[in-house]
Amino acid sequence: MRLRAPISTAERYLAGAIFVVLLLAAWTATTWGTPEARVVSPAVLGSPAEVLTSFKSLWFERALTRNLLQSIWRVLQGFGLSILVGVPVGVLCGTFPRFNAFLAPLSVFGRNVPISALVPITLMWFGIDELQKVMFIFVATVMFVVFDVARSVASVDEKYVQTARTLGASSSQVLLGVLVPLALPEIFGSLRLLFGIAFGYIILAEMVNMTGGLGALILTSQRRGPMEHVYLVLVLITLVAFGIDRTLNAISSWLFPYREQD
């Protein structure tokens, strides 16, 4: 238990596995026996076996695959729009301090406004249909993209800029040939993390008018049952988000092999 002691890969996986086993043991203990004898009511939390056996009805009766793909597609549209707008603006902010100062009030507001407050705002602006969910993701994430991209560009060591200037590079050549390429690994890493956050945000938007998606699936299961579906969807969201994160991390290691990966 030494402070900041290094840990091997095997130890890390073993520690995680022990936690999962203990969690499952506690879950089983609190949901063991007849409904009357349980520590936790089955109306609140089913046993691990009950949750797993309900997967078949979730898959077929609740159209799990369709709802999952619908949520992912909404995130791809909304976050893709954030990238199209936020990356160029962030590059300009990281390159030109005066432009960054000009947009600072909007950036601070966009990164600190409560996410739940954006739901009624986007409902007023974009209605209750598909556009609202896409724009909710865009509004919720675009200022984070701008901020992270600006920080990545601004953190490029000044010596590279001075070297390019010494060699006769113009301002546009420094921007496109030095600052952006050197900041790109950090930008990609930030976008990877923000995509995971956006995937969590879409659940909130989908609970508004319940027009498909994992958020609507959670709310439907909570209102009509079975509650086991709620826990299965939560586990699924975690696994999908983790899988997407690992895929993006692998792409990052392929694009930028010189950068240390997470």
Side-chain angles (χ1 to χ4, degrees):
M1 298 297 293
R2 290 183 294 110
L3 291 176
R4 307 187 71 177
I7 181 174
S8 66
T9 302
E11 289 176 315
R12 185 168 64 251
Y13 284 119
L14 178 60
I18 291 174
F19 173 81
V20 172
V21 170
L22 291 176
L23 180 64
L24 289 174
W27 183 5
T28 302
T30 55
T31 57
W32 184 265
T34 62
E36 296 79 11
R38 294 185 182 184
V39 176
V40 179
S41 170
V44 176
L45 177 64
S47 67
E50 291 168 344
V51 172
L52 287 176
T53 54
S54 69
F55 182 77
K56 183 178 179 180
S57 62
L58 176 65
W59 184 277
F60 292 103
E61 298 174 15
R62 293 282 171 82
L64 176 62
T65 303
R66 185 185 65 197
N67 284 290
L68 172 61
L69 293 177
Q70 197 167 10
S71 292
I72 293 176
W73 176 235
R74 287 165 175 167
V75 175
L76 288 175
Q77 292 180 88
F79 193 67
L81 185 59
S82 289
I83 292 175
L84 289 177
V85 174
V87 170
V89 174
V91 169
L92 293 176
C93 288
T95 307
F96 304 103
R98 288 185 175 85
F99 185 71
N100 187 41
F102 174 75
L103 286 184
L106 180 61
S107 177
V108 172
F109 176 80
R111 289 183 290 110
N112 290 280
V113 64
I115 296 302
S116 57
L118 294 177
V119 175
I121 292 176
T122 54
L123 285 172
M124 289 187 295
W125 289 351
F126 307 107
I128 62 173
D129 295 323
E130 198 70 16
L131 180 63
Q132 181 267 335
K133 295 169 178 59
V134 173
M135 295 307 296
F136 173 79
I137 296 297
F138 169 73
V139 175
T141 59
V142 65
M143 283 299 110
F144 287 97
V145 173
V146 170
F147 179 79
D148 282 0
V149 171
R151 182 177 57 183
S152 299
V153 173
S155 65
V156 174
D157 200 310
E158 184 65 18
K159 66 181 180 182
Y160 298 111
V161 176
Q162 295 303 325
T163 300
R165 287 291 196 186
T166 302
L167 296 174
S170 63
S171 296
S172 60
Q173 289 174 327
V174 171
L175 174 61
L176 299 177
V178 178
L179 292 176
V180 172
L182 289 177
L184 200 56
E186 192 68 27
I187 292 174
F188 190 92
S190 296
L191 294 178
R192 185 192 111 210
L193 297 177
L194 289 173
F195 184 86
I197 295 174
F199 189 72
Y201 285 169
I202 193 60
I203 306 303
L204 181 62
E206 289 173 342
M207 288 183 173
V208 176
N209 61 343
M210 298 173 61
T211 55
L214 295 178
L217 200 55
I218 290 176
L219 197 58
T220 300
S221 301
Q222 184 268 327
R223 290 179 176 177
R224 304 174 187 173
M227 279 298 295
E228 287 80 4
H229 286 179
V230 175
Y231 299 107
L232 280 175
V233 174
L234 291 177
V235 172
L236 176 67
I237 292 171
T238 303
L239 293 176
V240 170
F242 180 76
I244 293 174
D245 179 79
R246 292 296 89 192
T247 300
L248 294 176
N249 189 64
I251 294 174
S252 177
S253 64
W254 176 68
L255 292 174
F256 317 108
Y258 49 86
R259 182 177 183 267
E260 183 178 354
Q261 302 302 317
D262 299 328

